[in-house]
Every structure is written in C-alpha cells, then in structure tokens.
Amino acid sequence: MQNETYKTITRLSESIYKEKGSKFIAFAYPINSKEQALSIIDTVKKQHHSARHHCWAYRLGYDGSEYRVHDAGEPTNTAGKPILGQIDAFSLTHILLLVVRYFGGTLLGVGGLIQAYKAAAKNALEAAEIQTKHIPYNVSITCNYEDLPHIIDYILQQNGTIISQSYQENCELMCELTKQHYEQLSKYSSKYSSLILQLL
C-alpha cells in the first residue's frame, strides 16, 4: 500500500466566467463512477440545451489513473485538456468538471479558449469544499459465529462497508476498511481468537 489518502470535493460547486460576451458556467461534481459522470453530463446538457458547447473532464480512481476529456466541438485540446489541468492542479480525483459555454458572438481564438476554460474550471474548484479522505481497502475476514457480532459492530462503527457475507462452517466477510481501521481490527485477534484477516 502506498498512498493512504486522496482528495476530492464534497458537493456540487458552480462558477460563472465571462469573456468577450461568451459566458462559461462551470460545474464541479463529486463522482464515484464513469456511469455517474456520463449521467450528470446528460442531465446538464438537457438543462442547458441552448448552450453552444458542453465541455468536460473527469478523473477517477484513488490514484487518479482513470480520466477522460471532451472538447465538445471546440478546437482540439482547447477545453477538455485545460479543464483536466485544473483538476490536476488541485490534486483531485473522483470528480467531474463540466463547463457550459454560451457563445457571445466573438471568436476567442485557441489561446483565448484555453485561458477561458482554465479560468472557469479554476473558479469552480476555488469555490468548492475540498476534503481529504482515507482510501478504503478490501479486507477478507474469517471468524466463528460467536465473534461475528462483535466484528460487525466494529466495522459499522468505523464506517466500513460490508460487501459480502458467507456463512458455512465459519463466517466469511468481505469488507472495505481504511488502513488505520484494518490495523486496529488486527489487534483484536488476541481478544477474538477465531479472527483471521487478509488484505486483498
């Protein structure tokens, strides 16, 4: 395990940037999946159907390894890339940043577009509430039936997530816990002799 935390935003943040008659409305959303991002994009496009362009970028994964950009008809790399650049400048992940442009009648040129989309995206992130969160890890837990209620209580008290449960000769749980809570739970092995933990 390397990084133990990641940064994201806690709720929707909006901003408006104007340049030579064009209005750029930026929306920053916390997201957990590509499907969620695309659904939000579709909703915003319907809400702002008269806008000329709906440009966006998102980054996903606790390590930020999954991303996508879209220029939505603007010249290549003048919208999606500078939007993503601001996401990276703030070291964020699990975020969608969408900028809607209402054309004002004056062409901005490549440099002007890059600056406008960058400024709009930056303003939305500066207005956002940014939070550092602990990365959850998948943990396999095996214990007997007597110890099970205590183990489940601990997981829920630490805001862990139980992904699956299997009850046979022993109880087997798959859950998500932060590294800190995993290490604390591992100390319970002296108290609950049946407890077996494995990081996946």
Side-chain angles (χ1 to χ4, degrees):
M1 295 181 293
Q2 298 178 353
N3 293 333
E4 296 180 19
T5 61
Y6 67 100
K7 292 201 301 183
T8 190
I9 61 174
T10 60
R11 61 177 66 90
L12 168 64
S13 175
E14 301 180 33
S15 72
I16 297 176
Y17 177 81
K18 296 180 180 180
E19 180 67 25
K20 295 182 179 179
S22 284
K23 182 166 68 173
F24 298 81
I25 308 174
F27 304 90
Y29 292 87
I31 58 170
N32 292 311
S33 68
K34 175 181 68 176
E35 291 75 19
Q36 184 184 11
L38 297 178
S39 176
I40 292 171
I41 291 165
D42 186 57
T43 298
V44 173
K45 287 174 70 174
K46 291 176 181 177
Q47 292 172 341
H48 294 269
H49 56 85
S50 60
R52 178 72 66 88
H53 303 281
H54 306 83
C55 307
W56 49 266
Y58 68 70
R59 191 172 283 285
L60 284 164
Y62 299 123
D63 60 355
S65 59
E66 182 181 351
Y67 68 93
R68 187 175 168 188
V69 300
H70 184 57
D71 292 314
E74 296 283 30
T76 302
N77 294 330
T78 61
K81 190 173 181 179
I83 293 171
L84 182 66
Q86 288 308 296
I87 291 175
D88 294 344
F90 283 76
S91 301
L92 299 172
T93 188
H94 285 263
I95 181 173
L96 164 68
L97 190 41
L98 190 154
V99 181
V100 173
R101 180 190 181 189
Y102 285 88
F103 184 58
T106 301
L107 296 175
L108 301 183
V110 170
L113 286 172
I114 292 173
Q115 179 57 36
Y117 280 102
K118 176 182 177 181
K122 182 180 180 181
N123 289 347
L125 295 180
E126 286 180 338
E129 180 179 321
I130 296 174
Q131 183 178 39
T132 298
K133 294 186 175 184
H134 288 276
I135 296 173
Y137 293 95
N138 289 330
V139 181
S140 171
I141 300 174
T142 302
C143 64
N144 62 28
Y145 285 87
E146 182 180 353
D147 293 339
L148 179 63
H150 306 287
I151 303 303
I152 290 180
D153 282 347
Y154 175 82
I155 294 170
L156 298 180
Q157 286 171 8
Q158 307 307 327
N159 294 318
T161 301
I162 297 175
I163 301 171
S164 65
Q165 305 175 55
S166 175
Y167 302 104
Q168 298 179 14
E169 183 177 348
N170 287 309
C171 308
E172 296 181 0
L173 305 177
M174 185 75 67
C175 67
E176 286 187 342
L177 288 171
T178 66
K179 181 183 178 184
Q180 177 186 3
H181 294 145
Y182 164 78
E183 291 175 344
Q184 289 176 353
L185 182 58
S186 66
K187 296 176 182 178
Y188 280 29
S189 58
S190 59
K191 184 176 181 180
Y192 303 112
S193 58
S194 71
L195 179 62
I196 300 174
L197 300 177
Q198 182 179 359
L199 274 178
L200 302 177

